[in-house]
Amino acid sequence: MSDRNRSGFTLSELLIALGVLGLIASFTIPKVLQSVGNAQKKAIAKEAAAILSQAYEAYGLDNEPGAGFNTVLLKPYINHAEDVDAGLLDSAPSNGGMTTLGCAWAECIRLHNGAVLFLWGGGAFDGTDPETFATFLVDVDGANTGVQDSIWMNVYYDGAIRSDESMKPGSHNTEMATGPIADGDPDWFSWD
């Protein structure tokens, strides 16, 4: 059999195929990595919400939540890795830019998954109405990175945990009266 009758690819055909594959990879790999990162953030935030829900339930066995209850009171009921006394956390965007929160003036605790909970003493229950809520922040990476990797959540008197976009219509606490906040949740988060 002569060399002319052999089938195969030429070097130029292989280089073109590799170039096309490289171009496809350059567009898909970043999107896959972003999707994986967003799924991880969402899982950490949901885990933190479950931890707060369990802490609220345990708190309710020892105490009667009512006017003045805030998320700081849940700290003894949360199994956490460490107290965080200093440092900044990413917060929700404000006026078009990122804001930060300082752990020096609030109760911050690091969970075992690396997230930091900002347990806020403000935003306490108004009473025992099912629409009254107390607020906390989950910073999924536990640091001030300048990236929107945190989410505000609320624990209601009836034990429900909701994010800003999914707040009950008549929601209120000692600091504000509000309902769902449009675009209040980061793009990476949803309850589904």
Side-chain angles (χ1 to χ4, degrees):
M1 187 184 250
S2 72
D3 287 340
R4 291 186 192 270
N5 293 336
R6 285 190 184 172
S7 60
F9 297 106
T10 65
L11 180 59
S12 60
E13 289 171 329
L14 286 174
L15 290 175
I16 289 170
L18 287 174
V20 170
L21 287 175
L23 184 63
I24 292 170
S26 70
F27 287 111
T28 57
I29 290 174
K31 293 208 182 284
V32 169
L33 292 176
Q34 181 182 15
S35 178
V36 169
N38 286 347
Q40 183 179 14
K41 289 178 189 180
K42 180 178 172 180
I44 290 171
K46 284 184 166 186
E47 182 181 7
I51 289 168
L52 256 290
S53 179
Q54 291 170 353
Y56 182 72
E57 187 176 324
Y59 175 86
L61 295 173
D62 295 338
N63 307 279
E64 181 62 38
F69 168 85
N70 61 58
T71 56
V72 172
L73 298 173
L74 297 179
K75 182 180 174 185
Y77 299 90
I78 299 171
N79 180 7
H80 58 282
E82 66 178 336
D83 291 349
V84 180
D85 298 327
L88 296 175
L89 302 174
D90 298 317
S91 181
S94 175
N95 299 323
M98 286 294 298
T99 60
T100 57
L101 294 171
C103 285
W105 57 273
E107 291 285 339
C108 292
I109 56 175
R110 185 173 311 280
L111 300 177
H112 294 285
N113 64 12
V116 170
L117 293 181
F118 181 90
L119 303 173
W120 189 31
F125 286 0
D126 283 333
T128 59
D129 182 335
E131 277 75 35
T132 192
F133 68 93
T135 302
F136 63 98
L137 177 94
V138 180
D139 189 330
V140 297
D141 72 355
N144 177 23
T145 59
V147 175
Q148 177 58 36
D149 59 6
S150 60
I151 182 169
W152 283 103
M153 293 193 182
N154 311 292
V155 58
Y156 285 83
Y157 176 77
D158 64 5
I161 303 275
R162 306 256 183 124
S163 58
D164 280 352
E165 272 185 39
S166 65
M167 291 172 69
K168 296 178 181 181
S171 296
H172 57 88
N173 63 26
T174 58
E175 302 247 334
M176 66 182 116
T178 186
I181 299 172
D183 298 323
D185 295 349
D187 293 339
W188 50 264
F189 185 80
S190 68
W191 287 105
D192 57 8

